[in-house]
Amino acid sequence: MANEYVRLKEQLKKIKSLSSIVALLEWDQETMMPHKAGSMRAMQLAELKHLVHQKITSRTYENALAKCIDVLTLKPRIKGLDLRNQANLKLLAEEFLKAKKLPSRFVKELATHQSQSTQAWAQAKANNRLTDFLPYLTKMIDLMRRKADFLGYDEHPYDALLNLYEPKMTIKSVDELFHQLIPGLKKITREAMKKGPGASNLSWTMSAEAQLQLCRSLKNSLGLSDDIARLDTSNHPFCESLHPLDIRMTTKIKPEAPLDAIGSTLHEVGHGLYEAGLPIDECELPGGEYCSLGVHESQSRLFETFIGQSLPFMHFLCRNLSSHIPHADPQTLYRHVNIVQPSLIRIESDEVTYCLHIALRYQLEKELIEGTLSARDLPEKWNALMQSHLGLVPPNDATGCLQDIHWSSGLFGYFPTYALGNIYAAMIYEHLQEKFPELAQLIAAGNFTPVVRELTENIYRFGKEKKPQELIESASKRKLSCQPYLNYLERKYLK
Amino acid sequence: MANEYVRLKEQLKKIKSLSSIVALLEWDQETMMPHKAGSMRAMQLAELKHLVHQKITSRTYENALAKCIDVLTLKPRIKGLDLRNQANLKLLAEEFLKAKKLPSRFVKELATHQSQSTQAWAQAKANNRLTDFLPYLTKMIDLMRRKADFLGYDEHPYDALLNLYEPKMTIKSVDELFHQLIPGLKKITREAMKKGPGASNLSWTMSAEAQLQLCRSLKNSLGLSDDIARLDTSNHPFCESLHPLDIRMTTKIKPEAPLDAIGSTLHEVGHGLYEAGLPIDECELPGGEYCSLGVHESQSRLFETFIGQSLPFMHFLCRNLSSHIPHADPQTLYRHVNIVQPSLIRIESDEVTYCLHIALRYQLEKELIEGTLSARDLPEKWNALMQSHLGLVPPNDATGCLQDIHWSSGLFGYFPTYALGNIYAAMIYEHLQEKFPELAQLIAAGNFTPVVRELTENIYRFGKEKKPQELIESASKRKLSCQPYLNYLERKYLK
């Protein structure tokens, strides 16, 4: 392999070492860190992130990269690289160019505003006073438009933001998908509601220790053994991956809601399996990084809902639970975790109505960015869309347009990836059902190895080599469409 | 405060941020990290330590320091600093000079040899083959002599090494102390042995969960609450402090030996209390750093043995244990934890014989450094001294001169600080007994607040402002002497 490429990779390895430490600091902050260490942790994180940023924008790195590839024309300057590494080089050059497009004065201004804005949002939400947050939101929208301008776009400024999280995805594609998805979901919701919940609330408690033990054993059953992955508890469940051999997930445990802890464990394990399946020998390169947020979410939703809320999984679960609830009944659990009930809060919503929440946010943030909606008019439009999509009107802004942190921290273009994740997952699940006619039996037996192997082979191992749509289409052997998702929901809730 | 000093402190804060992350990585490695993440962790640590080293030897730092103090003459260049900050500046300049004395080529050579040598030692110990380790030891001794020459010394090269761990301490002082200590300890050991053990082995098991819970409650009772300090488990107990509000201790738990877990908890809590008592507003400065290893060890031994193996503490402990052993009896526990019995292994030895192990190592490493003993002749001399000090001869080198990791990793001059710790602790304990006539009652009641307050006031808050001997003499209101230690042991074991 060319010396220039080896030297470039040496630099990237050092950067990866440091950025993986950032992940550890963040994990520790939410799981292990003594409470009073908070302000010192903020300093540690700021300093380390600053160092990482310095390194990836340094002249040293730029020179090392430029010896391997012409950053502007994307023409390789070294010979004998295989296709995979040619792709790595091209992606590195693109990332570098993207980083260079944002002036450092702008990056600093945005970071400062993010910090102030999320604090203002938290305060405004706690006090249910949207007006306190509006100036921050207005400024953030302005910053987002400027960011889009810096990054550049063909048709719509929103595309520039969306592409940060879902490369090559456009408003056009998302609009097309949602155009079919929204009426479909509304129809399924209506009809499922007519059928009635089919289950009363399950009253069932389990000690925190027993829940954690159970969730850890689920993690292991799904293929994330203790020698590469941990599961702990935190206030908000998450998955931080330092690299494919050090994956840290959390779940949230409440004694009265063991099924919630199980659900969030399966969600994070889905993320963790993806991270564990990325090629470790490329962990400093784009080939060792996840493809997109949508693809990531497809894996978490695949294991949380498609597999984890299926009847066969309830059979597997009941065998695991027998020491905790002697007469655990798969049908009862299945009905309980699959109640359809429109709700005001996105993160509490069920499988059917979840994407309606996303569609609402997508619609609003698109208009905010293009300027057809002003921040001031947000609550009115929010409430109207809630009424139209979910038949509910929030009693206040705290449970309405103030509920999510995303906009306050500048994550415009992020929401659609949640819906894309479900759409992708349905495509993959349909493929899995064809590929493994015995899928239900495998799940009921707790044998997830064939599924994880299939996902590794067709999704995980590619890293960023393919773009999201291409990756999902080739892995699922289907064209991008929300039909599999709608079919899955119809079969599950209406048949 | 002068702008130059403010800017220097800004730089030091960044360095402290990074070095405290090193501590977190090390803690995580021993407590939380998934097993297979080991080689990646080594890279993360190497990269971060390299960055810290780069920063403290950088021209930027040198310039910022030189604007505040003339590094060679130690004359301040800025006005209006209080005495405390003048001392900080002087210590910073001394540290910088010391770092500059070691050529970077030498530092690299030593680091490389350390890594190879500790691996060779571990292998040689496992196989009981000293000859495999001898070439590494010989080279390490040579490196240590060169290190001493680089650092400089007045009378003996060993002083240069000893001073790295115990500033201003010399062979002369240690020789004087040991000259009295060794015969004293031998006499007490002999007479205590004649009296017989006074206790049979206590057979008592406690679940790992219950032990950890108990040890955590002890940590809290001693003043290290959960919002600033954690206690977890690891293979070798240790205390890592990120800063005074983030202290991480571990203990080792075996179901059949709850008293061992309690003992190592108290030891590490002693270290932790010292770290928690250092001035947080100076945490980037020498004034916020511990004085010396000897002083650190005095705190761990004070809480582990002087307090933690006292009869009043057993009363306190038995009240805490009542749910685990209904008829816990202070006298039985007291006799059990205080059995005097010479042993081959330093880390398993009792309070009376422990320092005889140290005296042996001190004697040998002094001779190895001055060249009057060659590595080849080490086992013969080791065994002869074991016979003379402890009346035992090791059956092999694995339980003899190969037992400790220190020499293999270049920690010559480190061992005496263990003995100094006990000597200092005895001086402080004698003072505490005078200052608090009700000390026994306080301990029995589990009220450690007055003791910790006294230690904070007279030791912890000084950081590195005073040298170890000065600090301990003023805190204990006694001249440096091993008499308090001998008196304490005589009273405890022979009366």
Side-chain angles (χ1 to χ4, degrees):
Chain A
M1 195 172 287
N3 281 339
E4 290 85 355
Y5 192 52
V6 172
R7 276 195 290 270
L8 176 66
K9 290 207 296 178
E10 280 308 312
Q11 286 200 39
L12 287 166
K13 271 181 198 158
K14 289 178 182 183
I15 296 170
K16 171 69 186 175
S17 285
L18 296 180
S19 62
S20 66
I21 301 173
V22 171
L24 179 70
L25 287 173
E26 289 173 339
W27 168 81
D28 181 77
Q29 178 167 274
E30 302 303 322
T31 55
M32 301 289 161
M33 187 186 79
H35 178 67
K36 287 194 178 167
S39 60
M40 202 68 161
R41 177 55 47 91
M43 280 180 58
Q44 293 163 328
L45 274 167
E47 185 56 24
L48 200 57
K49 284 179 179 176
H50 172 70
L51 277 171
V52 172
H53 180 77
Q54 252 186 350
K55 281 190 182 279
I56 56 174
T57 54
S58 71
R59 188 53 65 95
T60 320
Y61 175 64
E62 183 169 8
N63 289 341
L65 183 61
K67 280 195 178 138
C68 299
I69 185 168
D70 183 318
V71 175
L72 290 172
T73 63
L74 299 182
K75 270 199 192 136
R77 286 202 168 121
I78 48 174
K79 288 189 180 140
L81 279 194
D82 57 17
L83 286 176
R84 174 80 174 193
N85 279 309
Q86 284 179 30
N88 273 326
L89 262 187
K90 208 180 136 197
L91 288 161
L92 286 169
E94 284 172 352
E95 276 170 23
F96 183 76
L97 272 185
K98 201 190 289 166
K100 280 275 168 180
K101 280 182 184 168
L102 300 175
S104 54
R105 250 192 62 230
F106 175 78
V107 172
K108 217 167 184 172
E109 188 184 350
L110 178 57
T112 309
H113 185 63
Q114 270 169 337
S115 155
Q116 293 164 349
S117 167
T118 49
Q119 285 173 46
W121 162 79
Q123 202 66 45
K125 181 178 174 179
N127 301 334
N128 186 33
R129 280 165 58 122
L130 175 68
T131 46
D132 294 353
F133 174 56
L134 280 181
Y136 294 91
L137 179 59
T138 305
K139 179 164 182 193
M140 184 58 89
I141 293 165
D142 178 58
L143 285 163
M144 289 296 111
R145 284 192 205 127
R146 284 165 60 201
K147 189 172 181 181
D149 288 341
F150 285 127
L151 293 170
Y153 51 86
D154 289 334
E155 300 191 355
H156 196 290
Y158 186 86
D159 285 344
L161 304 174
L162 176 57
N163 281 195
L164 292 172
Y165 311 110
E166 205 67 13
K168 303 260 182 220
M169 187 56 62
T170 59
I171 275 199
K172 204 163 152 256
S173 307
V174 179
D175 279 346
E176 259 172 46
L177 288 167
F178 281 16
H179 189 70
Q180 187 187 5
L181 185 64
I182 297 172
L185 293 180
K186 283 161 87 167
K187 178 178 150 272
I188 299 169
T189 306
R190 260 193 323 271
E191 294 182 18
M193 295 285 291
K194 259 188 245 157
K195 288 184 70 180
S200 60
N201 272 336
L202 190 68
S203 167
W204 172 30
T205 65
M206 197 194 289
S207 77
E209 294 74 32
Q211 283 192 46
L212 186 56
Q213 205 186 334
L214 170 68
C215 289
R216 284 180 170 159
S217 96
L218 284 175
K219 166 187 83 68
N220 289 324
S221 303
L222 283 152
L224 292 178
S225 61
D226 290 345
D227 55 3
I228 62 161
R230 303 182 50 92
L231 180 74
D232 296 278
T233 61
S234 67
N235 250 332
H236 300 281
F238 65 88
C239 170
E240 280 273 12
S241 164
L242 280 71
H243 52 77
L245 297 176
D246 193 349
I247 293 170
R248 318 234 173 166
M249 292 152 293
T250 67
T251 186
K252 182 177 182 173
I253 290 180
K254 289 172 292 186
E256 71 281 11
L259 288 168
D260 289 1
I262 291 169
S264 71
T265 298
L266 294 171
H267 184 96
E268 303 310 333
V269 164
H271 285 307
L273 283 167
Y274 189 5
E275 292 288 338
L278 290 167
I280 185 143
D281 54 335
E282 285 179 284
C283 86
E284 76 278 23
L285 294 165
E289 282 171 20
Y290 69 87
C291 174
S292 74
L293 285 184
V295 176
H296 229 311
E297 190 73 3
S298 75
Q299 298 310 298
S300 56
R301 294 295 274 182
L302 182 65
F303 286 95
E304 177 193 3
T305 61
F306 292 83
I307 291 174
Q309 292 176 200
S310 69
L311 187 57
F313 191 84
M314 296 304 143
H315 281 276
F316 168 62
L317 199 55
C318 284
R319 281 207 315 286
N320 271 283
L321 290 176
S322 58
S323 58
H324 301 290
I325 37 171
H327 304 293
D329 159 32
Q331 277 289 352
T332 308
L333 294 192
Y334 178 70
R335 280 196 301 270
H336 178 75
V337 298
N338 290 301
I339 296 172
V340 179
Q341 177 67 60
S343 74
L344 291 169
I345 308 297
R346 174 181 60 87
I347 58 167
E348 292 169 5
S349 64
D350 58 77
E351 220 184 352
V352 181
T353 57
Y354 184 79
C355 286
L356 292 170
H357 287 268
I358 301 306
L360 173 151
R361 285 152 180 78
Y362 167 67
Q363 176 70 27
L364 295 174
E365 65 182 17
K366 223 172 34 171
E367 295 179 15
L368 289 168
I369 293 298
E370 68 191 14
T372 50
L373 175 68
S374 77
R376 207 180 44 240
D377 298 329
L378 183 61
E380 194 185 333
K381 189 80 190 265
W382 178 288
N383 295 354
L385 276 175
M386 276 299 289
Q387 175 64 52
S388 146
H389 285 2
L390 290 146
L392 297 169
V393 176
N396 53 46
D397 294 325
T399 55
C401 64
L402 276 175
Q403 69 181 268
D404 300 307
I405 193 174
H406 301 59
W407 291 338
S408 77
S409 67
L411 293 174
F412 283 77
Y414 191 111
F415 277 121
T417 68
Y418 291 131
L420 291 169
N422 285 288
I423 293 167
Y424 298 163
M427 292 163 64
I428 294 160
Y429 192 62
E430 216 172 74
H431 165 68
L432 289 175
Q433 287 177 311
E434 281 172 13
K435 168 102 187 188
F436 303 108
E438 74 289 17
L439 186 63
Q441 289 85 335
L442 288 172
I443 294 174
N447 177 6
F448 306 99
T449 314
V451 168
V452 173
R453 196 184 298 130
E454 171 75 10
L455 296 167
T456 305
E457 197 53 35
N458 294 303
I459 300 178
Y460 306 166
R461 75 179 172 92
F462 286 101
K464 272 188 157 49
E465 191 186 320
K466 301 181 182 182
K467 298 297 172 208
Q469 184 169 346
E470 181 196 354
L471 178 68
I472 294 299
E473 289 186 346
S474 73
S476 68
K477 311 208 183 335
R478 273 154 180 76
K479 282 279 160 203
L480 178 61
S481 154
C482 59
Q483 201 55 59
Y485 189 36
L486 291 172
N487 292 345
Y488 156 79
L489 293 175
E490 276 194 22
R491 260 198 313 277
K492 180 163 174 180
Y493 291 95
L494 305 183
K495 296 279 152 73
Chain B
M1 197 173 284
N3 281 338
E4 290 85 355
Y5 191 53
V6 172
R7 277 195 289 271
L8 175 66
K9 290 208 294 177
E10 281 307 311
Q11 286 200 40
L12 287 167
K13 270 180 200 160
K14 290 178 182 184
I15 296 170
K16 170 70 186 175
S17 284
L18 296 179
S19 63
S20 66
I21 301 174
V22 170
L24 179 70
L25 287 173
E26 289 173 339
W27 168 80
D28 181 77
Q29 176 167 276
E30 302 302 322
T31 55
M32 301 290 160
M33 187 185 79
H35 179 66
K36 287 194 178 166
S39 60
M40 202 68 162
R41 178 54 48 90
M43 278 180 58
Q44 294 162 328
L45 274 167
E47 185 54 25
L48 200 57
K49 284 180 180 175
H50 172 71
L51 275 173
V52 171
H53 180 77
Q54 253 186 349
K55 281 190 180 281
I56 56 175
T57 54
S58 70
R59 186 54 65 94
T60 320
Y61 175 64
E62 182 168 9
N63 288 341
L65 183 61
K67 280 194 178 138
C68 298
I69 186 168
D70 182 319
V71 175
L72 291 172
T73 64
L74 300 183
K75 270 198 192 134
R77 286 199 168 124
I78 48 176
K79 285 185 181 145
L81 280 193
D82 58 18
L83 285 176
R84 176 77 174 195
N85 280 308
Q86 285 180 30
N88 273 326
L89 263 187
K90 207 179 139 198
L91 287 162
L92 286 170
E94 284 172 351
E95 276 169 25
F96 183 77
L97 271 185
K98 201 191 286 168
K100 281 274 168 181
K101 279 181 183 168
L102 300 175
S104 54
R105 250 193 60 232
F106 175 78
V107 172
K108 215 165 187 175
E109 187 183 351
L110 179 56
T112 309
H113 186 63
Q114 270 169 336
S115 156
Q116 294 164 348
S117 168
T118 49
Q119 285 174 46
W121 163 78
Q123 202 66 45
K125 182 178 173 178
N127 301 334
N128 186 32
R129 279 164 59 122
L130 176 67
T131 47
D132 294 352
F133 175 57
L134 280 181
Y136 295 90
L137 180 59
T138 305
K139 179 163 183 195
M140 184 58 88
I141 293 165
D142 178 57
L143 285 163
M144 289 296 112
R145 282 191 205 127
R146 284 165 61 202
K147 188 173 182 179
D149 287 342
F150 285 128
L151 293 169
Y153 50 85
D154 288 334
E155 300 192 352
H156 196 290
Y158 186 86
D159 285 343
L161 303 175
L162 176 57
N163 280 195
L164 292 173
Y165 311 109
E166 205 66 14
K168 302 259 182 219
M169 187 55 63
T170 58
I171 276 198
K172 204 163 153 254
S173 305
V174 178
D175 279 346
E176 258 174 46
L177 288 167
F178 281 16
H179 189 71
Q180 188 187 4
L181 184 65
I182 297 171
L185 293 179
K186 284 160 86 167
K187 178 177 151 275
I188 298 169
T189 306
R190 261 195 322 271
E191 293 183 20
M193 295 285 289
K194 256 189 250 159
K195 287 185 70 181
S200 62
N201 272 337
L202 190 67
S203 166
W204 173 31
T205 65
M206 196 194 291
S207 78
E209 294 74 31
Q211 283 192 45
L212 185 56
Q213 204 186 336
L214 171 68
C215 289
R216 284 179 169 160
S217 96
L218 283 175
K219 167 187 84 67
N220 289 325
S221 303
L222 283 151
L224 292 178
S225 61
D226 290 345
D227 55 2
I228 61 161
R230 303 182 51 92
L231 181 75
D232 297 277
T233 61
S234 66
N235 249 333
H236 299 281
F238 65 89
C239 170
E240 280 273 12
S241 165
L242 281 72
H243 52 77
L245 297 177
D246 193 350
I247 293 170
R248 317 235 174 163
M249 293 153 292
T250 68
T251 185
K252 183 177 182 172
I253 290 181
K254 289 173 291 185
E256 71 281 11
L259 288 167
D260 290 1
I262 292 168
S264 71
T265 299
L266 294 171
H267 185 96
E268 303 309 334
V269 164
H271 285 307
L273 283 166
Y274 188 4
E275 292 288 338
L278 290 167
I280 184 141
D281 54 334
E282 285 179 285
C283 85
E284 75 278 22
L285 294 165
E289 284 170 19
Y290 69 86
C291 175
S292 75
L293 285 184
V295 175
H296 229 311
E297 189 73 4
S298 75
Q299 298 310 298
S300 57
R301 295 294 274 181
L302 181 65
F303 285 95
E304 177 193 3
T305 60
F306 291 84
I307 291 174
Q309 292 175 200
S310 70
L311 187 56
F313 191 83
M314 296 302 142
H315 281 276
F316 168 62
L317 198 55
C318 284
R319 279 207 316 285
N320 273 283
L321 289 176
S322 58
S323 59
H324 301 289
I325 37 171
H327 305 293
D329 159 34
Q331 276 291 350
T332 307
L333 294 191
Y334 178 71
R335 280 197 302 267
H336 179 74
V337 299
N338 290 300
I339 296 171
V340 179
Q341 177 67 58
S343 75
L344 291 169
I345 307 297
R346 174 181 61 87
I347 58 167
E348 293 169 3
S349 63
D350 58 76
E351 219 184 355
V352 181
T353 57
Y354 184 80
C355 285
L356 292 170
H357 288 268
I358 301 306
L360 171 152
R361 284 152 181 79
Y362 167 67
Q363 176 69 28
L364 296 174
E365 64 181 19
K366 223 171 37 174
E367 294 179 17
L368 288 169
I369 292 298
E370 69 191 15
T372 49
L373 175 66
S374 78
R376 207 180 44 241
D377 299 329
L378 182 61
E380 192 186 336
K381 190 78 189 268
W382 178 288
N383 295 354
L385 276 176
M386 275 301 287
Q387 174 64 54
S388 145
H389 284 3
L390 289 146
L392 297 170
V393 176
N396 53 46
D397 294 325
T399 55
C401 63
L402 275 175
Q403 69 181 264
D404 300 307
I405 194 175
H406 300 61
W407 291 338
S408 77
S409 66
L411 293 174
F412 283 76
Y414 191 111
F415 277 121
T417 68
Y418 291 131
L420 291 169
N422 284 290
I423 292 167
Y424 296 163
M427 292 163 65
I428 293 160
Y429 193 62
E430 215 172 76
H431 165 69
L432 290 174
Q433 287 176 312
E434 281 172 13
K435 169 102 188 190
F436 303 107
E438 74 288 18
L439 186 62
Q441 289 84 337
L442 288 173
I443 294 173
N447 178 4
F448 306 101
T449 313
V451 167
V452 174
R453 196 184 297 131
E454 171 76 10
L455 296 168
T456 305
E457 197 53 34
N458 294 303
I459 300 178
Y460 307 165
R461 76 179 173 91
F462 286 101
K464 271 188 157 49
E465 190 186 321
K466 301 180 180 182
K467 297 296 173 209
Q469 183 168 347
E470 182 196 354
L471 178 67
I472 294 298
E473 289 185 345
S474 73
S476 69
K477 310 206 180 345
R478 276 156 177 76
K479 282 278 159 204
L480 178 62
S481 154
C482 61
Q483 202 55 58
Y485 190 36
L486 291 172
N487 291 346
Y488 157 78
L489 293 174
E490 275 194 26
R491 259 197 314 276
K492 179 163 175 181
Y493 291 95
L494 306 182
K495 295 282 153 68

